[in-house]
Amino acid sequence: MQENRTGTVPSTAPPSQIAVSPDNPCPFLRGLVAGGYVDGHVVPLKKLIQTIEAASGEKGWQQRVAGVKTCIVAVIANGLGRVFRNWWSGPVLDQLRDGPLDKHGVGSRILSAKAEVVETEIARLASFGKDRQDPQDPSGKMERGLTSPEITTFMNENFERAKDNRRTIDRKLMDGEWPVLLNVMGKGEGDARYLSVREVRTLFVERRFPERIVQRLAVPVPQGGIAGKLAKAVVGLIVLVGLLALAVIEFPNQAGEIVPPLAQILPPPLPALVPAKRAVWLDQNWTTEDRHWFHHASQGTATFPVPYDWFMALEQPGIHLFTSPGLLSDSAYLERFGFLPSPRTVHADAASLRRFGYRDPPDPPPAPAPDQVEGLRPTAVENFDGLPVGFARLTNATNPGTLVPEPDQIGLACAACHTGSIRYKDTSIRFDGGPAMVNLKKLELATGLAIAYTLNVPGRFTRFAMRVLGPDANEPERGNLNQKLASIGKFLLDQHNLYDKTIAGMKTHDGKHPQKDTEEGFGRLDALNRIGNQVFYTDFVLGGLSGFEKNLHAQDAPVSFPPIWTVPWFKWAQYDASIEQPLIRNAGEALGVSALVNFSPDFSQKDLFRSSVALENLVRIEKMLHGPDLSGQYVSAFGGLQPPKWPAEFFPGDPLWKINPERVVKGRALYADMCVECHLGPVNDPVFDKEHPHESFWSSEQWKPEKGWLEEVQKPVDDMGTDNAQASVLAYRQVSVPGFLGMRPKRDLGERWKCQDVPDYSSTEMPFSIALMIAVDRTSQHWMDENKDKIADPMKLWGTRSNCPNPGPEEHHHNAGTEPKLYYRARPLNGVWATAPYLHNGSVPSLYWMLTPAAERPTKFCMGARDFDPEQVGFRVVGDAPRCKTGETLFSTTGPGGPVAGNSVLGHSFEGQKPYKKGVVGRMLTDDERYQLIEYLKTL
């Protein structure tokens, strides 16, 4: 055995070395291919196993172990989609790059992505070793080598330097490389065994093995008899079963795609986290302190089904044999759902804040937000646990029915959905008020699975209890914690199953089609239907009510998160212009994101509608967005949160970011000709106002300076031709409410708010829109009544806007009781460059495609990455059948059953000539004209 492990590198290369594909990144396999020991493409599994067993130099059982390990690696080497094919015909060696075993630069980096040897990395390897006496050289020659501990140090350092681009499993994969090379190619025995750097260099550069390895490979492989073959078959079957289990455990993303039923119990696939080398928050007229407060200010919500401390103690879902699961609350994990990283505090040194994108304030700095609004002081905010933007801690909560104190809860802040970012190369540009690229559905699934795994995977609850209760907790305390967590898990599972069962039996409002969820994906949410399900079903169930399952509705009208800069100046919010009253808008959103509310008949009438809604924070957020009250004054600019400016300054020298003044001039003229009818003149371009005074925003009849708001242009959905799903939600959805809530539309809206023509709906059956207006109004009023001693002037909190249904624009008024007329409102286009994807349902990936005939637009594209295209302004789509990366979601207009509800890309089309048909808003543009208009929109 000793002599079989020693020797020297041959002085001459094999007479005819075979070329090796750069897509085979394994140096040992490259040596086998170059030497002609195995084929460079598909290698039969038996052949590969026998070759590796021979090269190992092991005998007997140890040789079989080496073969089993080879089998496991070979079967999954090309991905789970080829598991059975690799088992049957063998792995494909020239397709190993980018497979599940490729560490993408986390390893030694001796081989580049093009399979070129990096000599400096070989020198770095040598620096971890020592000069040692070659045991096979008669003269006692010294050579540089690494022992096992030195190799471990080398691997640890490799893993550490790749901390911004690594997977936990990469460190485990390293154990299958350098330690194996030490075992196969090492010299000496025991603790003195070392790996020769000279032989490593020969293997990488010349793809040649030491002579002792060549001799092993030259020995014929013995063939077993029938008994031996049968034993191997049995062992192989056991290995295959174990391999499949291992693959499901360690590669759940691919397993869920191959076997869809597994996706119900496996963690949702997520995009890989690629940290930015540079991050920048754009200046938008907010101070650093106000920005950070907005990022983590609680709306009074308990979005997640467990208390704050429990959430922080849960582990990420998934079963891990070789890797640790990590915590659900790890920022790096939550960022894979689309959230942005956030510092623990902004009261830190500039260098620390710069890592998160915070810069020195502009000169002059913006004025800070008011510390109180009508006497209401907002809650203080910190982020001591380092959660991403949009996560908020609800403190001092009480049960809204019993008033018993509740543990701190964790919910989503406004910023979760209304903080945007784009990525260009290695730079992340971030801005407040823009559409987020988050996937809340996947986060919901991951949270539910984290609870289930904690309850059912051995060892997890013990660790969870240790984090929540501490090491001194006794068995009854741990048992009580387990019982409470199990109760939450059962409730979530029961509600999930009931939802699926209920929706399966429901029809659309016209009775023509079965209801079916539409995948929201990254960057979209069916906010209105989710709010309806939460308030008029889940909150009823939490209040002890039953029998309201028919209030549920499929999530089939997803929309892109709307930008919120300038919104407080609009009379009507939401894409469908459905909400006028700002306080109702904000409190309704808080209820939809799971603020605690009392709808229980077990308490007195005066306790109904008590909630955890943090009105003191909501009114401050509205004030921060709005800025100073300028009603009755002549203004030519809005205050508050400003739209982000085109960030060309951060990409100097890049022609794609440089504004072309000539195009801007031509684009301004196109805007005046084609866009002002709906979007009005720009709110922030004095040149436009001077050149086109009659189209100026500030001279428009829609702008009401005496009232301090904009009457947005509203267009019938039929005329616009865009997807009508979102507009249909409030127009057609009906709900049932318990009579003890005392919701009487004619009184609650007609008398209290002076709404005109409110039908005399039943107190138990009414449109969803009407019920929501009343429920949110009563909840807000209850909060004000209980906090009246803190409020200087309640009427100023409500303002002058009403809480009435939108009758539609005057020229389209319809009588109550007739078929509802559907509208979408058009907003000014300030900051539009930062709001892709476009149209209300997020169906158009870039401004370029917005300006094309609708029939030419992409019908499929992937979402999840923020990679920005500054030329087309949005997300570039390549090809008709895009292949989404792992974890990304596919937007598609069609599915297996035909068109997907809510996903039409039609309408707002530019084609033909006047008079335009329905769905067309302008003439056909040339390509030059598209880019001219795009160039101008960049400046707004």
Side-chain angles (χ1 to χ4, degrees):
M1 187 71 178
Q2 175 70 25
E3 69 278 10
N4 203 29
R5 286 188 174 275
T6 60
T8 59
V9 178
S11 59
T12 58
S16 58
Q17 197 177 70
I18 299 170
V20 185
S21 168
D23 289 326
N24 177 352
C26 174
F28 199 88
L29 292 177
R30 291 174 66 80
L32 290 179
V33 173
Y37 301 107
V38 297
D39 187 81
H41 183 48
V42 177
V43 182
L45 191 59
K46 180 179 178 181
K47 170 68 173 177
L48 184 63
I49 291 172
Q50 291 175 341
T51 303
I52 299 296
E53 286 179 347
S56 71
E58 301 287 1
K59 302 295 182 183
W61 173 247
Q62 290 299 321
Q63 189 180 58
R64 298 286 82 77
V65 170
V68 169
K69 290 181 178 179
T70 300
C71 176
I72 292 174
V73 172
V75 172
I76 65 173
N78 295 115
L80 296 189
R82 274 196 57 101
V83 165
F84 291 103
R85 196 181 308 176
N86 281 21
W87 174 263
W88 185 258
S89 58
V92 186
L93 300 191
D94 55 0
Q95 294 179 13
L96 295 177
R97 192 170 296 281
D98 295 326
L101 306 183
D102 189 346
K103 297 187 299 302
H104 297 282
V106 179
S108 69
R109 302 184 186 175
I110 294 176
L111 274 184
S112 72
K114 298 181 180 179
E116 297 168 341
V117 177
V118 182
E119 290 285 356
T120 55
E121 294 294 342
I122 296 181
R124 178 175 174 274
L125 167 70
S127 70
F128 286 86
K130 296 178 181 178
D131 290 335
R132 293 181 164 84
Q133 188 175 38
D134 186 342
Q136 295 303 306
D137 190 285
S139 63
K141 182 180 178 180
M142 303 293 288
E143 67 173 345
R144 180 56 61 101
L146 283 77
T147 60
S148 179
E150 291 164 345
I151 286 175
T152 298
T153 301
F154 171 63
M155 293 188 301
N156 290 339
E157 289 294 320
N158 291 341
F159 191 67
E160 177 60 25
R161 73 170 173 176
K163 59 184 178 182
D164 292 334
N165 184 34
R166 69 188 185 193
R167 304 167 298 177
T168 306
I169 197 174
D170 288 332
R171 182 60 185 82
K172 187 64 182 179
L173 293 177
M174 292 179 186
D175 291 337
E177 296 175 340
W178 292 100
V180 173
L181 275 183
L182 173 64
N183 184 57
V184 175
M185 292 176 50
K187 296 181 179 181
E189 298 295 329
D191 293 341
R193 189 173 182 79
Y194 70 90
L195 183 64
S196 166
V197 174
R198 176 173 57 87
E199 292 185 346
V200 167
R201 186 184 185 281
T202 300
L203 176 62
F204 275 87
V205 176
E206 301 178 21
R207 299 185 293 280
R208 289 188 299 137
F209 294 112
E211 184 61 32
R212 62 187 179 278
I213 308 299
V214 174
Q215 292 175 1
R216 296 175 195 165
L217 291 169
V219 176
V221 178
Q223 301 296 319
I226 295 178
K229 291 180 179 179
L230 181 60
K232 278 195 171 184
V234 173
V235 171
L237 181 60
I238 295 173
V239 168
L240 180 59
V241 172
L243 177 63
L244 291 176
L246 175 66
V248 169
I249 291 170
E250 291 293 341
F251 303 100
N253 291 351
Q254 297 92 328
E257 294 175 0
I258 297 170
V259 188
L262 288 177
Q264 300 296 318
I265 59 173
L266 295 175
L270 300 172
L273 178 62
V274 183
K277 292 184 179 179
R278 177 177 63 159
V280 177
W281 281 101
L282 299 181
D283 294 326
Q284 294 177 266
N285 199 35
W286 278 359
T287 66
T288 294
E289 290 76 11
D290 288 339
R291 170 168 264 158
H292 193 250
W293 182 87
F294 172 74
H295 290 172
H296 299 287
S298 175
Q299 304 177 85
T301 60
T303 314
F304 298 90
V306 293
Y308 182 93
D309 289 341
W310 295 19
F311 181 86
M312 300 303 297
L314 287 171
E315 294 177 354
Q316 297 165 22
I319 301 173
H320 301 259
L321 296 182
F322 307 120
T323 58
S324 59
L327 293 176
L328 182 67
S329 57
D330 286 346
S331 182
Y333 180 66
L334 294 175
E335 288 167 42
R336 296 177 66 190
F337 294 91
F339 295 96
L340 297 172
S342 181
R344 297 174 186 272
T345 176
V346 292
H347 303 294
D349 61 276
S352 297
L353 293 181
R354 201 167 290 117
R355 291 194 303 110
F356 294 93
Y358 286 95
R359 301 181 295 151
D360 295 333
D363 187 20
D371 60 1
Q372 57 84 28
V373 178
E374 293 303 319
L376 293 178
R377 294 188 176 278
T379 58
V381 160
E382 282 296 351
N383 184 35
F384 293 126
D385 290 306
L387 292 170
V389 170
F391 285 78
R393 185 169 189 164
L394 172 61
T395 59
N396 301 317
T398 60
N399 182 294
T402 65
L403 294 182
V404 173
E406 295 274 358
D408 288 359
Q409 304 293 313
I410 180 168
L412 293 180
C414 291
C417 302
H418 299 291
T419 302
S421 74
I422 60 171
R423 186 185 182 103
Y424 184 71
K425 296 183 177 177
D426 293 323
T427 297
S428 173
I429 300 292
R430 301 166 183 176
F431 41 89
D432 285 305
M437 189 58 71
V438 297
N439 192 317
L440 297 185
K441 174 63 76 174
K442 288 194 176 189
L443 182 58
E444 291 170 356
L445 293 174
T447 304
L449 286 172
I451 294 171
Y453 282 38
T454 301
L455 292 167
N456 295 289
V457 175
R460 285 221 176 180
F461 180 79
T462 300
R463 298 193 296 269
F464 173 76
M466 179 72 72
R467 297 185 186 107
V468 173
L469 301 175
D472 298 327
N474 56 39
E475 194 58 36
E477 290 172 328
R478 286 191 289 268
N480 183 51
L481 177 65
N482 185 285
Q483 186 178 23
K484 289 180 178 179
L485 186 65
S487 177
I488 293 173
K490 183 178 185 304
F491 176 81
L492 294 176
L493 182 60
D494 289 347
Q495 293 306 304
H496 173 80
N497 292 336
L498 185 143
Y499 174 86
D500 286 347
K501 180 181 178 180
T502 301
I503 298 303
M506 300 186 76
K507 297 283 188 180
T508 53
H509 69 85
D510 57 8
K512 295 180 179 180
H513 307 284
Q515 287 189 23
K516 184 179 180 181
D517 283 351
T518 295
E519 183 176 17
E520 295 163 324
F522 282 91
R524 299 200 307 167
L525 194 76
D526 185 357
L528 288 179
N529 276 322
R530 279 174 169 264
I531 290 173
N533 291 347
Q534 176 68 37
V535 175
F536 296 110
Y537 174 70
T538 303
D539 286 338
F540 284 180
V541 172
L542 293 174
L545 304 176
S546 60
F548 289 91
E549 290 80 6
K550 67 177 183 179
N551 282 352
L552 287 169
H553 195 286
Q555 297 168 13
D556 58 2
V559 296
S560 178
F561 299 111
I564 58 174
W565 51 77
T566 320
V567 165
W569 297 88
F570 300 165
K571 181 177 182 181
W572 297 102
Q574 305 294 347
Y575 290 111
D576 59 355
S578 57
I579 303 177
E580 177 183 357
Q581 167 50 241
L583 201 152
I584 297 295
R585 161 171 37 93
N586 295 327
E589 189 269 340
L591 287 178
V593 191
S594 305
L596 308 176
V597 62
N598 177 31
F599 287 151
S600 173
D602 298 333
F603 305 98
S604 67
Q605 284 285 317
K606 66 182 180 61
D607 295 323
L608 292 175
F609 297 97
R610 181 185 289 122
S611 75
S612 64
V613 172
L615 218 63
E616 69 274 28
N617 289 344
L618 295 179
V619 295
R620 186 178 193 244
I621 291 171
E622 186 73 10
K623 193 70 175 177
M624 289 171 59
L625 294 170
H626 185 281
D629 183 7
L630 302 176
S631 58
Q633 304 179 39
Y634 176 80
V635 296
S636 58
F638 291 124
L641 181 67
Q642 296 299 297
K645 294 182 179 179
W646 181 252
E649 63 179 294
F650 301 104
F651 306 104
D654 191 324
L656 293 179
W657 286 92
K658 185 177 181 181
I659 296 292
N660 184 320
E662 183 179 344
R663 278 185 171 179
V664 169
V665 170
K666 294 178 179 179
R668 183 180 287 115
L670 285 168
Y671 185 100
D673 179 51
M674 306 186 72
C675 303
V676 296
E677 177 185 345
C678 297
H679 297 286
L680 308 178
V683 302
N684 54 356
D685 182 8
V687 176
F688 183 97
D689 296 339
K690 183 178 180 180
E691 293 180 355
H692 307 279
H694 297 296
E695 283 79 34
S696 170
F697 175 91
W698 303 105
S699 62
S700 166
E701 293 181 356
Q702 306 296 130
W703 168 238
K704 310 293 183 182
E706 72 283 0
K707 296 180 178 179
W709 67 57
L710 167 69
E711 292 259 15
E712 307 105 289
V713 173
Q714 300 174 55
K715 292 288 187 179
V717 173
D718 287 345
D719 292 350
M720 295 302 296
T722 50
D723 193 285
N724 68 2
Q726 202 261 357
S728 299
V729 175
L730 294 183
Y732 294 108
R733 185 172 175 179
Q734 303 287 312
V735 295
S736 299
V737 295
F740 69 84
L741 291 180
M743 296 172 62
R744 301 177 183 175
K746 207 162 187 66
R747 177 199 64 192
D748 295 335
L749 299 181
E751 296 177 17
R752 169 168 160 73
W753 288 99
K754 311 304 180 193
C755 302
Q756 301 296 312
D757 302 321
V758 178
D760 192 14
Y761 295 113
S762 161
S763 62
T764 58
E765 301 287 338
M766 62 191 72
F768 164 45
S769 59
I770 298 296
L772 186 62
M773 285 179 172
I774 297 173
V776 180
D777 180 24
R778 298 271 292 276
T779 301
S780 303
Q781 190 60 52
H782 193 288
W783 191 97
M784 289 190 180
D785 290 343
E786 290 198 328
N787 293 273
K788 58 185 177 183
D789 293 341
K790 302 177 183 178
I791 304 173
D793 187 346
M795 294 308 298
K796 286 188 177 180
L797 285 183
W798 283 112
T800 59
R801 302 190 202 182
S802 186
N803 181 34
C804 296
N806 183 0
E810 291 185 6
E811 65 271 24
H812 295 290
H813 277 181
H814 60 277
N815 296 323
T818 62
E819 182 71 12
K821 189 77 172 178
L822 308 182
Y823 299 93
Y824 286 130
R825 61 106 168 100
R827 62 166 290 154
L829 296 180
N830 50 336
V832 69
W833 69 266
T835 61
Y838 296 98
L839 289 183
H840 67 280
N841 62 343
S843 61
V844 182
S846 68
L847 283 178
Y848 178 86
W849 290 111
M850 271 298 297
L851 301 177
T852 61
E856 297 179 9
R857 293 171 184 159
T859 58
K860 294 182 180 181
F861 56 91
C862 302
M863 294 297 292
R866 295 183 174 95
D867 296 330
F868 189 76
D869 177 7
E871 182 178 25
Q872 294 192 353
V873 183
F875 306 107
R876 184 176 288 272
V877 178
V878 179
D880 297 329
R883 295 185 62 184
C884 299
K885 296 179 181 178
T886 296
E888 293 182 343
T889 53
L890 177 69
F891 171 90
S892 179
T893 59
T894 58
V900 176
N903 278 8
S904 171
V905 302
L906 301 179
H908 201 285
S909 184
F910 292 85
E911 57 184 278
Q913 298 293 332
K914 290 184 177 180
Y916 302 127
K917 62 183 180 180
K918 288 182 181 294
V920 178
V921 298
R923 64 172 175 81
M924 172 78 77
L925 297 171
T926 67
D927 222 39
D928 284 343
E929 287 176 322
R930 291 189 189 107
Y931 283 114
Q932 290 162 8
L933 187 50
I934 288 172
E935 201 75 2
Y936 179 62
L937 293 175
K938 294 176 184 178
T939 69
L940 301 184

